């Protein structure tokens, strides 16, 4: 079994970086377009047959590599070039992950058995050698040190053309799965990737990512699938029969022969999300919370959106391509969100510039608010927050415990009397039964939900004898519009039922969201939205 000089050192348990530098070829032969082996090592599949000199090619060559996804790694500097081409900066540290094809495990196991190397003898891993060789060039290119806990990760996933063929025999060994694995915690995600997320031939990387809904890590499922295959192979290879050299000698055409291909590599850089939170105020009607596009026509509905007004500034500052928005509920497009605003947080994905100062956060808030005349949206208390705070928006207390306050302008089918105002003021903890509103029943479960009107008050509108201003404090989740007009009897009792007439709602504003969530733990500056 022919092994390269670096693999011979691995099996000698060498951990001396200088020895590996000397062992690596001055420049490995390039793969052909078909990935032909070119004399690749029968153990590492050519992965360690690379030039150890980080300066073998200039970092500027990364521009050429940036357009290709599958790379031919000829020298350790290729990892740095790929990282630089991805455009990240300002990282505190980096993680270098290496995902290997399962065939490297079977070939390594075969070498152990045929050379009489017992399992107690430690063999330096291919990934460990690569990290040692690339550490210097990566540190210089990225301007930071390797850190296993870093938020920024550079992942090198190796592909081998005969991987499935050479590991097929492992399927004869039953795999012992943990209870969690048997439930499909991991496999469900991988199945989803293969069915819905697989990249089609002829599409560019930009096309591939554009149809995804701004995932936290667009490469996670792909890399996790490969890691899972590697881990499964390792578990099966622990079977005692694979320690016997006779097994490998009888299957030498698969595991001991020179490989037909060299392993090629996909290198992707990704920074974990950063999170920004605060409170938003929506001063204009006709602005939806998130972009609204009609499925039938593809046309936009409304004027911009709250999400776009905020994230257009946030994404630009963090040099990110996408984010996810989380808030403590949402108001209808024609409803304003006033007073102190609604809590929100944005999860900013793969920020190329992940570190910003407090002054820059304050500048983002001023920039968003300066555009209020165009967007109708202001923010206050903008700050960096955590992943835990992001997921906690709207979850500070049980939904049934929350309350919200509203102001509505209503019209009834007759003149408003003093007795009407007394009837409204007398309401206290009124439980109404609300069927799913007609306007949303096509996309929500049609069911009856009990909701509580905590209290109400009203006042006349000068010059409008049939109208009134209605102030309500209600349990969160109450459909206010339907409570006023009754929705054809689907909400009982309604305001119209209480007053003994027909009622309609002309305007609605949210004036308070009872949510103690705070992204920073400090009291927000309410003056910033005045």
């Amino acid at each position: 079994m022919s092994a390269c000089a670096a693999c011979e050192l691995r099996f000698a348990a060498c951990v001396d970086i200088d020895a590996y530098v000397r062992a690596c070829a001055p420049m490995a032969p390039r793969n052909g377009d078909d990935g032909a082996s070119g004399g690749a090592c029968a153990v590492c599949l050519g992965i360690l047959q690379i030039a150890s000199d980080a300066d073998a090619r200039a970092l500027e060559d990364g521009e050429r590599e940036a357009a290709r996804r599958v790379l031919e790694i000829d020298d350790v500097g290729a990892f740095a070039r790929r990282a630089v081409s991805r455009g990240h900066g300002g990282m505190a540290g980096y993680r270098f992950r290496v995902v290997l094809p399962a065939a490297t495990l079977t070939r390594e196991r075969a070498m152990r058995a045929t050379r009489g190397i017992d399992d107690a003898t430690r063999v330096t891993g291919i990934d460990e050698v690569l990290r040692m060789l690339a550490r210097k060039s990566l540190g210089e290119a990225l301007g930071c040190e390797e850190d296993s806990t870093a938020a920024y990760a550079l992942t090198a996933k190796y592909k081998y053309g005969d991987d499935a063929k050479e590991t097929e025999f492992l399927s004869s060994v039953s795999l012992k799965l943990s209870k969690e694995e048997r439930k499909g915690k991991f496999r469900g995600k991988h199945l989803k990737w293969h069915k819905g997320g697989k990249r089609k031939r002829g599409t560019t990387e930009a096309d591939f990512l554009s149809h995804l809904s701004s995932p936290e890590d667009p490469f996670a499922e792909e890399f996790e699938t490969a890691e899972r295959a590697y881990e499964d192979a390792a578990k099966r290879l622990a079977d005692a029969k694979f320690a016997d050299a006779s097994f490998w000698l009888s299957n030498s055409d698969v595991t001991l022969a020179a490989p037909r291909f060299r392993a090629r590599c996909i290198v992707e850089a990704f920074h974990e999300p950063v999170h920004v939170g605060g409170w938003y105020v929506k001063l204009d009607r006709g602005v939806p919370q998130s972009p609204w596009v009609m499925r039938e026509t593809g046309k936009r509905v409304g004027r911009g959106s709250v999400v776009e007004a905020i994230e257009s500034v946030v994404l630009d500052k963090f040099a990110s391509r996408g984010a996810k928005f989380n808030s403590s509920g949402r108001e209808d497009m024609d409803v304003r969100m006033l007073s102190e605003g609604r809590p929100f947080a944005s999860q900013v994905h793969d920020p190329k510039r992940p570190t910003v100062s407090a002054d820059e956060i304050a500048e983002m808030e001023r920039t968003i608010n300066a555009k209020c005349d165009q967007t109708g949206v202001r923010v206050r208390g903008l700050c960096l927050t955590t992943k835990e705070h992001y997921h906690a928006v709207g979850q500070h207390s049980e939904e049934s415990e929350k309350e919200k306050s509203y102001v509505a302008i209503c019209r009834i089918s007759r003149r408003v009397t003093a007795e009407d105002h007394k009837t409204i003021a007398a309401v206290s903890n009124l439980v109404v039964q609300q069927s799913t509103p007609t306007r949303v029943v096509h996309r929500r479960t049609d069911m009856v939900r009990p909701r509580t009107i905590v209290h109400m008050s009203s006042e006349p509108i000068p010059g409008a004898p049939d109208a009134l201003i209605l102030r309500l404090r209600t349990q969160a989740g109450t459909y206010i519009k339907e409570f006023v007009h009754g929705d054809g009897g689907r909400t009982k009792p309604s305001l119209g039922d209480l007053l003994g007439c027909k009622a309609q709602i002309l305007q609605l504003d949210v004036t308070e969201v009872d949510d103690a969530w705070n992204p920073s733990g400090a009291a927000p500056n309410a003056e910033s939205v005045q």
Side-chain angles (χ1 to χ4, degrees), residues 295-354:
R295 290 183 179 181
E296 298 80 5
T297 63
K299 293 183 179 180
R300 290 287 298 262
V301 179
R303 193 184 91 231
S305 69
V306 172
V307 170
E308 290 168 301
I310 296 171
E311 291 185 351
S312 62
V313 175
V314 171
L315 296 184
D316 180 66
K317 178 60 69 174
F318 286 100
S320 168
R321 294 175 59 183
K324 286 184 179 178
F325 189 86
N326 197 10
S327 66
S328 182
R330 65 169 61 210
E331 66 287 329
D332 289 342
M333 182 176 71
D334 60 348
V335 176
R336 294 185 298 179
M337 179 66 240
L338 304 177
S339 189
E340 295 187 356
R342 188 184 296 276
F344 79 91
S346 284
Q347 185 181 70
V348 182
H349 297 157
D350 191 24
K352 298 298 190 297
R353 186 172 178 262

Side-chain angles (χ1 to χ4, degrees), residues 492-524:
K492 296 180 180 180
S494 65
L495 178 66
D497 293 333
L498 297 177
L499 300 181
C501 62
K502 293 182 179 180
Q504 64 182 115
I505 189 165
L506 304 180
Q507 287 186 356
L508 179 64
D509 295 323
V510 185
T511 57
E512 184 182 356
V513 175
D514 181 17
D515 194 318
W517 177 87
N518 193 319
S520 66

